[in-house]
Amino acid sequence: MCCFSAYAQSVEAPDLKAGDSWVVADTIEQGTQGWVHKNQDITVERIQSDGMLIATKEEGSNQPPIERITGLDWSRSRDINGKQEVVNRPFNFPLKPGKKWTVEYTELNPNQRHSSETLHCDYVVTGWEDVQVAAGSFKAIKVECDGQWTAVMAPAVAAGSRALVNANGVTTVTQTQRVTPRTFSGRLYDAFWYVPSQKRFVKSVEEYYSSNGVRSQRFSEELVSSKVAN
């Protein structure tokens, strides 16, 4: 009964400290194009009032680490239409089974092909699970996200030409075709296994599916080792 109560209670935000570090194994799968596997060192460089500076470096690399600011809840933000917006929030503390939250944003003109892209992700804390990773066995609280992405094609004009040869010589014929805007969408799925003693997730999976339901990308991560202050 004591153990059940401990696992059923809510989980508060981690007390992160400068120097906390983790080694994680990252695997990136790009559809049928193969996969890339590498270990990454992640270290908390600085704690701020509303975020923290994280340094990430590939294990064994002589390149300097990549430093980025993240939320104290491990959320990620970036510029959306000239304003910093949260684009990924795996945790909304305190965590307790059944808790739900949503992340949604629309980005205008994200690239030359799309006039807009929208992402909608519904998160839910599904409960406690036993999870096995390279660092060992843990009791983790799991968060899942079922979502959808939507993109609108940007209007464009496609041009082509061909040569016609006849008795009078060569004539070049040019044809143009207007590409009208259209909307298409796909699915996404995320899962995170958070362990309070590790102050972050020990395992994660992020998957993206194309408009025809085929998985196009998968990003997975597992904890290898950690050094965290109590």
Side-chain angles (χ1 to χ4, degrees):
M1 179 65 71
C2 178
C3 294
F4 175 82
S5 299
Y7 293 139
Q9 69 185 0
S10 63
V11 176
E12 300 299 323
D15 182 19
L16 291 153
K17 292 180 171 61
D20 286 345
S21 64
W22 306 263
V23 176
V24 300
D26 283 343
T27 302
I28 303 173
E29 301 170 69
Q30 298 281 359
T32 59
Q33 301 176 21
W35 55 276
V36 175
H37 179 84
K38 56 188 176 182
N39 281 8
Q40 302 266 33
D41 291 314
I42 303 171
T43 302
V44 177
E45 296 287 331
R46 182 177 70 237
I47 298 295
Q48 303 171 185
S49 60
D50 59 350
M52 56 183 169
L53 182 65
I54 298 293
T56 303
K57 182 177 181 179
E58 185 174 349
E59 198 172 45
S61 172
N62 58 6
Q63 297 298 312
I66 297 173
E67 296 182 325
R68 58 169 54 90
I69 293 176
T70 68
L72 295 172
D73 57 358
W74 294 102
S75 60
R76 300 196 300 262
S77 301
R78 66 178 179 86
D79 178 86
I80 301 293
N81 308 324
K83 182 181 178 181
Q84 288 291 310
E85 298 279 359
V86 173
V87 297
N88 183 284
R89 175 169 281 147
F91 310 115
N92 187 356
F93 294 99
L95 300 176
K96 55 183 178 180
K99 185 174 183 177
K100 299 179 181 180
W101 62 96
T102 297
V103 169
E104 181 175 31
Y105 63 89
T106 297
E107 185 173 11
L108 302 178
N109 304 309
N111 52 56
Q112 292 182 343
R113 295 182 56 194
H114 300 158
S115 60
S116 70
E117 291 179 351
T118 298
L119 181 141
H120 180 100
C121 199
D122 292 316
Y123 293 88
V124 61
V125 181
T126 60
W128 292 92
E129 288 188 4
D130 293 318
V131 60
Q132 177 72 43
V133 295
S137 299
F138 298 93
K139 178 71 73 171
I141 190 165
K142 184 180 180 182
V143 175
E144 287 186 305
C145 159
D146 281 309
Q148 178 174 304
W149 61 263
T150 304
V152 179
M153 291 288 290
V157 176
S161 62
R162 61 192 179 96
L164 299 178
V165 180
N166 52 39
N168 297 321
V170 178
T171 302
T172 300
V173 178
T174 301
Q175 295 178 318
T176 60
Q177 181 179 7
R178 184 173 297 276
V179 178
T180 58
R182 67 183 183 90
T183 302
F184 56 102
S185 64
R187 304 294 303 177
L188 58 93
Y189 171 80
D190 297 343
F192 301 88
W193 287 261
Y194 180 84
V195 174
S197 64
Q198 298 300 312
K199 303 185 181 182
R200 78 187 300 270
F201 50 93
V202 299
K203 180 179 178 181
S204 69
V205 176
E206 299 178 70
E207 299 175 340
Y208 295 86
Y209 293 83
S210 64
S211 55
N212 59 4
V214 176
R215 178 169 58 80
S216 56
Q217 293 178 313
R218 174 189 283 154
F219 303 89
S220 55
E221 180 177 298
E222 289 193 4
L223 180 67
V224 176
S225 62
S226 66
K227 295 180 181 179
V228 295
N230 294 327

